[in-house]
Amino acid sequence: DDLYALRYSSNVYQYKIAIEVGNGNYQKNKALKIDESAFQKYRDMYASFGLGVKTEIDLPVESLGYSGKSKLSGHLLDFSIGQYDTYTPIQLSQYINTLANGGTRLKPYLLKEVYSASANGEDIFGDLVYASTKDILGAVDVETEHMDRVRLGFSQVVSDGLGRGYMGYYTNSGGKTGTSQSFIDTDGNGV
């Protein structure tokens, strides 16, 4: 089920979901054909969590990561397990925070507050000069029960799944296992 798939990082489970989203029909030893619109369905959902879109962090330049162009069926399967498009660390942070916030995507900030120097030299802070605001960028269009189910699965990853014990034994925590991949063409031959 979905909880087991999260707890033990089941690629096969995600492949089956991707085939269903792409209206495909898997048959052993035959080519898999999917509806190419499935790529956009995935990207739209991922974007609602902050993946593949600007996070609007308070920096002058922000990268988007890589968005694959191929519509091959096998690439949809790769995409469903997080190994086709790539995301920036701040996008991954926003994604996790959106899950933690129950589906509300917030603008991330590096700078929270700025104070002037203390006038009398005794106080730690002077007057408040700047304070960031809580900016809501959007909300994930998923029923609460489904969002809670994902959060439960992430909790099970660290309580009794593949992530058990890696970060200590904290209560009320969660995680997601997986493999980070990148491609670096060191000799410029495209392979």
Side-chain angles (χ1 to χ4, degrees):
D1 68 2
D2 56 336
L3 294 177
Y4 182 93
L6 289 171
R7 192 168 50 247
Y8 294 106
S9 197
S10 172
N11 291 348
V12 172
Y13 183 89
Q14 298 304 327
Y15 294 159
K16 288 180 178 182
I17 297 297
I19 292 168
E20 191 174 314
V21 169
N23 297 313
N25 181 22
Y26 173 79
Q27 295 178 354
K28 187 175 180 177
N29 297 322
K30 294 195 177 182
L32 175 63
K33 298 204 185 304
I34 55 100
D35 182 341
E36 293 179 0
S37 68
F39 282 91
Q40 196 57 50
K41 288 177 185 175
Y42 269 90
R43 284 199 176 98
D44 290 345
M45 180 55 70
Y46 290 175
S48 69
F49 283 92
L51 297 171
V53 296
K54 292 203 174 189
T55 64
E56 299 189 28
I57 191 168
D58 53 341
L59 290 171
V61 178
E62 181 178 2
S63 174
L64 287 177
Y66 170 79
S67 180
K69 304 298 179 225
S70 168
K71 303 289 189 203
L72 294 173
S73 298
H75 286 150
L76 181 67
L77 302 183
D78 292 339
F79 196 26
S80 73
I81 62 168
Q83 295 186 356
Y84 184 56
D85 285 3
T86 64
Y87 308 108
T88 67
I90 194 65
Q91 287 174 339
L92 292 172
S93 176
Q94 190 174 64
Y95 151 69
I96 291 299
N97 281 291
T98 300
L99 276 171
N101 290 326
T104 301
R105 187 166 70 100
L106 303 174
K107 178 178 178 175
Y109 291 95
L110 294 177
L111 182 63
K112 181 178 179 181
E113 297 173 334
V114 176
Y115 291 87
S116 64
S118 171
N120 62 17
E122 294 179 19
D123 295 328
I124 296 175
F125 299 114
D127 295 331
L128 178 67
V129 176
Y130 166 82
S132 64
T133 58
K134 180 178 175 179
D135 293 337
I136 296 174
L137 299 177
V140 179
D141 186 19
V142 171
E143 294 176 26
T144 303
E145 65 188 75
H146 298 302
M147 186 68 69
D148 290 345
R149 189 90 172 160
V150 172
R151 291 164 59 161
L152 176 59
F154 278 30
S155 176
Q156 290 181 359
V157 167
V158 297
S159 66
D160 64 339
L162 290 179
R164 184 174 187 268
Y166 279 93
M167 300 298 289
Y169 296 97
Y170 301 99
T171 59
N172 195 23
S173 62
K176 176 67 185 88
T177 61
T179 305
S180 174
Q181 294 185 350
S182 64
F183 173 77
I184 299 172
D185 186 7
T186 56
D187 61 5
N189 69 354
V191 180

